[in-house]
Structures are given as structure tokens and as C-alpha cells.
Amino acid sequence: MAYKRFTDRLPIIPADADEHNAVCHYCIVGCGYKAYTWPLNRQGGTAPNQNKFGVDLSAQQFQDTEAWYAPSMYNVVKKNGQDVHLVIKPDVNCVVNSGLGSIRGARMAENRRSDVTGTQQQRLTDPLVWRYGTWQPTTWDDALDLVARVTARFVEPEDEDQLYVSMFDHGGSAGGYENTWGTGKLYFGSMKVKNCRIHNRPAYNSEVHSSRDMGVDELNYAYADYTLTDTIMIVGANPLETQTNLFLNHMVPGMQGGARAIIVDPRRTVTIRACEEAAGAGNVLHLQPKSGTDLALFNAILTHIADQGWVDTDFIAASTIQAAVEVPQSETHPAALGSFEAALEAIRISTAEAAEITGVPEADIIKAAEWYARPHDDGARRKAIIAYEKGIIWGNDNYRTIGALVNLGLACGNIGREGGGVCRLGGHQEGYYRPGDGHVGRPAPYFDRLLIDGGGAVHHVWACDHYKTTLNASRFKRAYNQRTNMVKEAMDNAIGATREELVDAIEGAIRAGGLFSVNVDIIHTQIGQAAHVILPAVEAGEMNLTSMNGERRLRLTEKYMDGPGQALPDCLIAARLAQAMERVLTEEGRPDYAARFQGYDWQTEEDAFMDGYNSGNPEVTYERLRAAGTNGVQEPVLGFENGQLVGTPRLYTDGVFTRHGREDGKALFCHATWRGLQAAGKAQQRDSHRFLINNGRSNLNWQNWFLDQDNDFAMDRWSVPFLQINPEDAAELGVGNGDLVEIHNADGATQAMVYLEPTARRNETFMLFGAPSGTQGNVINGGVNELVLPNYKQTWADIRKIADATPAARRQSFKSWEVEL
Ligand SMILES: Nc1nc2c(c(=O)[nH]1)N[C@H]1C(S)=C(S)[C@@H](COP(=O)(O)OP(=O)(O)OC[C@H]3O[C@@H](n4cnc5c(=O)[nH]c(N)nc54)[C@H](O)[C@@H]3O)O[C@H]1N2
Ligand SMILES: Nc1nc2c(c(=O)[nH]1)N[C@H]1C(S)=C(S)[C@@H](COP(=O)(O)OP(=O)(O)OC[C@H]3O[C@@H](n4cnc5c(=O)[nH]c(N)nc54)[C@H](O)[C@@H]3O)O[C@H]1N2
Ligand code: SF4
Ligand SMILES: [Mo]
């Protein structure tokens, strides 16, 4: 491993180094960090008054000392135009992570763009426009003028359906309250764009419709609940790898303090191994259902709990709806919602039948019911948390499956109480503040399908790369390449044209079926290869950015360095685009429409924050958040008292449920009847192909590898995505560690590197998602649920060998995930 072999020594942080609050901008956990900067020509000394730690560094430090940082936490960057040292290290005083980093967050510094150390040179520095057969650097004014002129040709005040928009809706890496407001105000305020989608799913909708329809917001507990609970039930999630410091700093202490763990995952993960270590193997129950059968399992658990009389009847009477059916099943509601009794009859399933469907032994289903709900010997209610994520969100029958979990929590009175919660673990941090999206409709338009079928004229893409991360990706890319190439050809043929002539040529190509693509990103992505205009954004830390984590903890990451070149915060890019629209529409003699694009005279991201989030939450300002540091405040913010923002540690402590917007404040139960693989084509795919291509994340990689692909540490470990496979299956296919295989089915094909994993079940593989060198989404079919939720996890294909291990693959370790702890 070549990693950091050149690092001999690192500078000591001087006592007077600038200190900034920072939150890791990768995952939902939102660990607190401190970013230190100081001039390049200075460094601190070993005497206590010469270094930031205030300790004598000439003496041996104790093992867990904070007076230390790793090479990955260091870089040389620009700040106010000057080269400065930068150290970003975990904050020991942050209650989220208590000084822990992770293999992703602790590399934030080395993943900044540096012209001195040469890191992340792939970052975009200038707006780029497709000219002369390639992308040419230019100014914002030039690039945005072209975007506005082409866009203006296809939008009218009451018809903006030809403008397609893909936009992040998250908090940290891209997003934040500033940037979701910037894009939201543009597309949902000034315009009413209907054909839009979110970064991770092919429509503009919720990941958890049923939970919200039942009245329960998906982030309802506090991380502290993990140390107050009796049972932690983790469903379709792998938190050691994906919410790392939530696992290490909250779940592990909870288990060490006596909590039991139930994990529901078709795969044996490192999380399970780590739970066994923390809780003792006898206190860990791994339910290993067949892919996509969770719903039958949860329904059997609840049936058993109800039949044993372990439900919380007082809570059900006081806080939930009594009418059998309050919301009938319909096109907008994939299951009826109503009283506990009626829902129980709808979901009722015996443990025997569920064991048959899921493959989970009956005894384990009963054990899970006992661990979740059997009262203590003194009759006291058992406290239990359910934490779920992409294994069921992107799984079979999203609406009913999540509804069934919320049923469990409500039936046992485990929501809104200490040591309880039915919560998403989460993906990115959140930072959602936008005008209403009611005009989008429910079900929302199936964006990808419309686009594949020739819909849309202009596509604005903000911070996502569908080429690597959408479903049905083989078809998506073919259609997208073909349509955007039509426009590129028209632009290439318009040699020497004026702006007006160029826009005419582009319009002509679009009317013939082409698509004009605008890409706002920090790097030149794969979908960006199809773009005609590319706009460079900055990241958190290169701008001030607010976000909230998985327990609704709101913090401000302070700007600690300059962005590269001309790059701007997304909110200011949106503002400039709005201003360009106003100017172009005015010039075109469309003053009424132009007037809708006013109100964007923001100079800074703080102006965007004040225009958006602050207008709805007047207590919250940058100054107050700065003072609140890395511990911030838990939303919703209730006030400002004694110089501090007052927050809400836990939702629904009063037993009043509001997420559905009902005035009665009562929660509803979901008639979550099991109905097999729900999405179109899934059962057929399963029956036609040998291997399950389960898929998801690894600890090391962040998302679609946008920074990893230019990071030697990440690329040394995984040159290409891995495919975990049972050794006997591999032997039958004639492949071994490192060999490249093609994964193929009727929907597409992709490639990956074989990784023998003895814990993998026969015919059940697991592939790393999102990689630039092998898109798992290529083999996912287009089937979605009634509300257009994708079903990435249930995918089946066949596997054949392509090539022997490459030299890069040969250097890698192929040790089992089942490590000795
Ligand atoms: N097969 C399969 N597919 C999946 C999933 C799965 O489990 N399996 N999971 C889905 C999920 S949960 C997710 S979240 C998606 C992720 O899918 P994407 O959203 O496509 O992936 P990311 O890597 O998060 O994309 C971030 C993009 O934003 C850019 N970026 C980063 N910071 C900034 C910024 O500040 N401003 C701007 N403008 N750009 C920025 C990055 O360069 C990158 O191109 O994938 C989904 N697809
Ligand atoms: N290291 C790292 N951490 C991340 C990310 C990252 O890219 N890298 N991305 C972040 C984002 S945006 C997200 S959304 C989260 C996702 O966080 P997670 O949901 O924890 O991650 P995944 O690996 O997508 O899927 C979790 C598990 O679902 C299981 N699964 C598959 N099919 C089924 C099924 O039918 N039933 C059940 N019960 N389980 C099933 C898989 O085996 C896998 O172990 O991670 C966040 N954290
Ligand atoms: S656990 Fe998540 S938030 Fe914390 S350092 Fe790692 S990636 Fe960042
Ligand atoms: Mo995600």
C-alpha cells in the first residue's frame, strides 16, 4: 500500500491557529470536527503555550490523547487567496461522535483540492461550455446566458413541463438549508417545475410515505436513546459501515450496557459481527429473510405480540385512530390506514406461514417478538428502538413494509418515549427548506421513464450522477447519450454562429428529440460527459453551510477555505441563474414572466439562509449557531432563552402525532398485508436468473466515489467494485478472487471483481453500488412501487467470467469480512 509513504512529519498546530466549527459533510450522523488553519510559513511548538492543545508535546502522550492528528487530516489549501495549513480533526466535545472519526470523515482534509499537495485536482474551477467539439472554460455570465436563453425557449408561465430538473434534497455533501432553498426557490417558487426528481430516486416524492401518512416523522428519537433502551432492532441497515459513529458511539455503548440487538438483513454483515462482540453472541439475533420478504416477518412478529397481549392498550386508546378505515387504499395510498384492530386483522399471519415465506425459523420470529415487546418481569414496558434504512426503503413494497414497522412501534407504545423510536438511520444529513411541492402531485411523475421515452427539452442536474446511481441505468444512459449527442452535433455544426444562431440550432435539435443538459457539480461526472454546460460548485467548508443530522441536530459548518477557481455555492448559482432568466425574459419582451425571477440579490450564502430557513425559523441565525458550536441544537427549534437556542430532543413525547397534518393528532395503523414481490418484473427476474445481486455500501467508499476515484487510499483498496460471492458458487462459475465478471440480465449488464466471502449464502451475492467502474444500477429493472419508489435491492442476474484479475486487483487483500475482533 503506497498510502502516505512520503509523510515523515506534520506541522504542530500553533496556539493562535484559526479554529472553525465543522460537521463532517458525508453521512447522516454528522460528526463534529474542528478545522484549524494558519499561515504556511509558521508552525507551533512543543511548549504548552506554543500549540493549540496547550500541552507539553515533548513528553510522551497517553494513548487516547487528543493532542494528535493523522496525515489524512492534513492539507495545504487556499484561504482568502493565501496558502494555509489545514487540519480537520474530530471534536472530542461533540456529543455525536465524542472525538471519533471514521475512515471517510477523517479524510476530509486530504480530500480538499490543493494546488500544493496535488490532491483532488479533478475539482472543477470554471464554468464549461460545449464548443468546438469539447468543453471550453468561460465566465459565469457567458455560461448562464446560454443556459437561460435555451431554457427560456421551452418554458411559459403556466407550462414549465419541458424543463426537467434533478436536484439533491439533502444536507451535507451538496445541499444544506442554503442550497435546497436556492434551488427550491428557483424551481418551486419562481417556477412550478413538475418534472423533477431527487438525487437518489426517480421522482420527487418521499422515501417513507407510509410513516408520514401514519403521523410519524421518520427521525423521531435522540441518539441518546440507544443507551436508554432494552432492545435495538436494526432493519435493512449496516450501521458499522454506513452510520459509523452512531454505531460506535451510541449503539455499542447501549449494547455494552445490556441492550440486546435484533438485526434483519439477508446478508451477514460486519455490523452483526460487531454487535456480537459488544452485546455477547447470546444477545444478538440475526434474522436472515429471503430478499424482499421482510413484510411477512414483521407482520408475524406483531401478530405474535398481539396474541400474547403485549401491546400497549393505553397508548393505542389515547394516541391512535379508532375508526377501522380512516384512509382507504387508493392510487395514492398503497394500503388502507386505520385502527389497530382492523390493521391487525389485515396483517395477521402465523409464524409458520411467515417462516415458510421468509425462510426465518419460527423460533427466531417468536424470539424477536419477545425481545421487542415482552414486558419485564415486573410488568414494566420493554423499551425498544427500530432503526431502518435502505435494505427496506429500496426494498420490496416500501409503503407496506415501512408501515408494518411503524405498526410495531405504535402497537407497543415505543414512539415518542425514552429509549424508543421507529426511525430511519438516514443517508446524507438533511437540510430541507423549500417552497411547497404540491404542484408535483402524488404519485409524482416517473421522471426517468418520461426522459427515456423522449420527454423534456432541457435538463438541469444538481449534484447527482444518474449514470452511476439510478435504476434501469443501462436504458437511461443509452437514451440520454443519444438525445444529448443530437444537441452536441447541432452545436458542433453551428461553427462561428452568433449566440442567437446557436440557440436556434440547439432548439432545432431539441425539437427533433434532443435534450439540452446542464450539470452543476464539483467534478466532471459521468452524466456530466453528456452535458452542454457544466457549472462548478463549492462544497461545505468552502462555504458556510447548515445541516441537521439523524437526531435532527442542526449545526453550522463555518467556511474555512476558498473554493476552487470560480466555483460558487449552489444557492448563489441558482440565484445567478434566476437573474439570467430575468434578464433574458426581459430582453425577449416577456416582462411579467421575468418579474417572477426577482428576489435573488443574495451576496452570500448567509443571505440565502436568511431569505429561506430564517424566514420560517426566525430564532435561528448564523451567529447563534456559531455560538452553539458542534453540538448545535435539535430541531424543531422552540425559542432562544438565556443566550441559547432551545431545541427538541425527542418528537411526540406528548403522544400527539402530527406528521400527516391531521388536526386530531392521532396516529394511524397500516393495513400492510403481505402480497409478494410487488414491483413490476421483479418476480419474473428472480425466476429467470440464478443470482441475487444484493447491493449497497462499504465503509471506505463515500457514495458514487466522486472523491474516492481521485484518492489513492480508496483506489488502492478497491480499484473496481467488489462482488461478494459464496466460494462454492464461484468454483462452479470457474472464478476466483479478483477475477472480473460480467453480471447480466434482460435489463442490462455491468462488471465487478469477484470477492470470495464464506458468509455469503449460496446464490446470493452483494455488489458495491455507485462505482464509476461498474454501475450496479445497470442490471436493476425499471419496476417501482405505486408511488414511484425504486426497488434497487431486489435484483437478479446471471454471472460469467470476463477476465483474470488485473494487476491492481492482485495487489488487494481478499480477507473475509468476518474478521477476528
Ligand atoms: N444500486 C443502487 N443504487 C442506488 C442506491 C443503492 O443502494 N443501490 N442508493 C441510492 C441512494 S440512497 C443514494 S443517496 C444515491 C446517490 O446517488 P447520487 O446522488 O448520484 O450520488 P452522490 O455520490 O451522492 O452524488 C453526489 C454528486 O454531487 C457532487 N457534489 C458533491 N458535493 C457537491 C456540492 O456541494 N455541490 C454540487 N453541485 N455538487 C456536489 C458529487 O461530485 C457527485 O457527483 O444512489 C442511489 N442509488
Ligand atoms: N460508508 C458509507 N456510508 C454511507 C454511505 C456511503 O456511500 N458509504 N451512504 C449514505 C447514504 S446516502 C445512505 S442512504 C445510507 C444507506 O445505509 P444502509 O441502508 O445501511 O446501507 P446499504 O448498504 O445500502 O444497505 C443496508 C443493508 O440492506 C441489506 N438488504 C438488502 N436487501 C434487503 C432486504 O430485502 N431486507 C433487508 N432487511 N435488508 C436488505 C443489505 O444486505 C445491506 O447490508 O448510508 C449512508 N452512509
Ligand atoms: S460517521 Fe459519517 S458523519 Fe461521522 S465522520 Fe464518518 S462519514 Fe462523517
Ligand atoms: Mo442515500
Side-chain angles (χ1 to χ4, degrees), residues 27-28 104 199-200 207 235-239 241-244 264-267 269 289-294 298 389-392 394-396 424-428 694-704 766 769 793-794:
C27 87
I28 178 77
R104 302 173 302 286
H199 61 283
N200 65 1
E207 289 184 20
V235 179
N238 180 18
E241 298 200 73
T242 54
Q243 294 86 13
T244 307
V264 188
D265 195 314
R267 180 174 69 119
T269 60
K290 293 179 197 156
S291 176
T293 64
D294 299 73
F298 306 151
E389 198 46 45
K390 289 293 146 36
I392 60 164
W394 301 151
N396 174 40
R424 274 193 59 190
L425 283 169
H428 301 85
N694 183 1
N695 57 89
R697 290 156 171 85
S698 86
N699 199 354
L700 173 65
N701 294 95
W702 176 244
Q703 294 288 87
N704 74 36
F766 181 87
F769 101 112
K793 302 296 190 202
Q794 274 74 51

Side-chain angles (χ1 to χ4, degrees), residues 516-659:
F516 185 75
S517 174
V518 180
N519 195 275
V520 191
D521 208 288
I522 61 170
I523 62 158
H524 199 166
T525 61
Q526 288 195 348
I527 196 171
Q529 303 296 319
H532 307 97
V533 177
I534 296 170
L535 303 173
V538 301
E539 280 199 281
E542 299 163 351
M543 65 178 286
N544 297 289
L545 186 143
T546 50
S547 61
M548 89 178 193
N549 79 348
E551 53 172 354
R552 309 172 319 284
R553 191 176 292 278
L554 171 69
R555 273 83 48 90
L556 169 67
T557 292
E558 297 175 281
K559 176 175 176 173
Y560 50 78
M561 64 179 281
D562 300 345
Q566 300 188 56
L568 286 174
D570 290 283
C571 53
L572 299 186
I573 299 174
R576 286 199 182 198
L577 178 53
Q579 287 164 339
M581 288 295 292
E582 185 193 3
R583 187 172 40 75
V584 166
L585 291 168
T586 306
E587 270 177 45
E588 290 179 352
R590 302 159 77 186
D592 293 345
Y593 197 18
R596 297 196 188 179
F597 294 89
Q598 287 168 356
Y600 292 89
D601 44 356
W602 308 326
Q603 300 305 310
T604 64
E605 54 273 23
E606 186 171 3
D607 293 342
F609 181 82
M610 296 306 285
D611 189 48
Y613 188 84
N614 175 270
S615 70
N617 302 272
E619 304 291 0
V620 184
T621 62
Y622 269 21
E623 194 190 336
R624 290 175 178 179
L625 285 175
R626 223 172 257 129
T630 54
N631 287 327
V633 58
Q634 284 177 275
E635 298 196 69
V637 176
L638 304 177
F640 184 72
E641 283 166 23
N642 305 323
Q644 286 193 323
L645 291 164
V646 181
T648 312
R650 214 171 269 114
L651 301 184
Y652 313 127
T653 47
D654 54 2
V656 177
F657 292 88
T658 50
R659 191 60 176 87

Side-chain angles (χ1 to χ4, degrees), residues 28 66 127-128 360 371 382 448 526 536 541 714:
I28 178 77
E66 279 309 302
L128 303 172
V360 176
W371 285 16
R382 185 173 290 274
D448 285 32
Q526 288 195 348

Side-chain angles (χ1 to χ4, degrees), residues 79-300:
K79 189 182 181 194
N80 300 324
Q82 305 293 314
D83 286 331
V84 293
H85 297 281
L86 169 71
V87 170
I88 311 178
K89 79 195 271 306
D91 182 4
V92 72
N93 295 314
C94 177
V95 294
V96 174
N97 54 314
S98 309
L100 294 176
S102 78
I103 199 167
R104 302 173 302 286
R107 289 187 294 123
M108 257 185 294
E110 70 167 25
N111 271 334
R112 308 322 306 228
R113 183 186 160 107
S114 171
D115 293 329
V116 173
T117 63
T119 53
Q120 293 299 330
Q121 289 294 301
Q122 61 166 344
R123 286 289 301 276
L124 294 168
T125 54
D126 298 288
L128 303 172
V129 171
W130 182 263
R131 274 201 274 256
Y132 330 125
T134 183
W135 291 276
Q136 299 290 329
T138 187
T139 62
W140 282 103
D141 284 347
D142 177 40
L144 289 175
D145 181 77
L146 181 61
V147 174
R149 281 183 198 282
V150 176
T151 304
R153 292 271 173 109
F154 293 93
V155 288
E156 293 292 339
E158 303 313 323
D159 180 7
E160 284 146 341
D161 293 352
Q162 293 304 306
L163 173 58
Y164 278 38
V165 179
S166 298
M167 51 179 165
F168 54 78
D169 76 340
H170 49 68
S173 176
Y177 286 107
E178 294 77 4
N179 295 328
T180 56
W181 175 246
T183 48
K185 182 172 181 175
L186 175 60
Y187 297 112
F188 290 171
S190 300
M191 294 190 262
K192 289 273 176 276
V193 170
K194 182 179 83 187
N195 291 318
C196 47
R197 61 162 281 177
I198 297 170
H199 61 283
N200 65 1
R201 50 196 189 270
Y204 202 89
N205 53 8
S206 168
E207 289 184 20
V208 291
H209 288 101
S210 51
S211 182
R212 293 179 182 184
D213 290 348
M214 294 162 79
V216 179
D217 189 275
E218 61 272 22
L219 301 177
N220 46 61
Y221 62 11
Y223 285 173
D225 283 313
Y226 284 105
T227 42
L228 301 169
T229 195
D230 298 312
T231 302
I232 301 170
M233 179 163 165
I234 299 169
V235 179
N238 180 18
L240 174 55
E241 298 200 73
T242 54
Q243 294 86 13
T244 307
N245 290 328
L246 167 58
F247 184 80
L248 295 175
N249 204 36
H250 301 274
M251 293 182 181
V252 165
M255 288 183 278
Q256 286 168 339
R260 288 169 172 164
I262 305 169
I263 296 124
V264 188
D265 195 314
R267 180 174 69 119
R268 181 165 167 91
T269 60
V270 289
T271 296
I272 295 164
R273 179 83 191 86
C275 288
E276 288 168 353
E277 185 68 19
N283 292 317
V284 178
L285 176 62
H286 179 197
L287 304 178
Q288 212 168 353
K290 293 179 197 156
S291 176
T293 64
D294 299 73
L295 178 53
L297 180 65
F298 306 151
N299 286 346

Side-chain angles (χ1 to χ4, degrees), residues 31 564 632 637 693 739 763 800:
C31 297
V637 176
I693 315 294
D739 288 352
N763 301 324
R800 64 163 83 94

Side-chain angles (χ1 to χ4, degrees), residues 267 692-697 721-724 743 750-753 765-771 773-777 779:
R267 180 174 69 119
L692 171 72
I693 315 294
N694 183 1
N695 57 89
R697 290 156 171 85
F722 60 75
L723 181 85
Q724 293 177 347
I743 298 149
T750 189
Q751 66 177 53
M753 175 185 75
T765 68
F766 181 87
M767 179 171 168
L768 184 55
F769 101 112
S773 45
T775 296
Q776 196 279 333
V779 289

Side-chain angles (χ1 to χ4, degrees), residues 361-436:
E362 268 190 89
D364 281 352
I365 300 176
I366 292 167
K367 198 180 200 183
E370 290 171 353
W371 285 16
Y372 186 76
R374 188 170 67 189
H376 294 285
D377 292 343
D378 64 359
R381 186 180 68 87
R382 185 173 290 274
K383 297 178 184 172
I385 297 177
I386 296 176
Y388 63 95
E389 198 46 45
K390 289 293 146 36
I392 60 164
I393 292 175
W394 301 151
N396 174 40
D397 212 348
N398 166 300
Y399 194 91
R400 293 187 177 191
T401 303
I402 291 169
L405 274 184
V406 180
N407 280 347
L408 260 175
L410 288 172
C412 300
N414 260 326
I415 304 180
R417 294 199 176 152
E418 206 178 78
V422 178
C423 298
R424 274 193 59 190
L425 283 169
H428 301 85
Q429 280 156 76
E430 311 263 320
Y432 194 93
Y433 195 83
R434 274 184 180 150

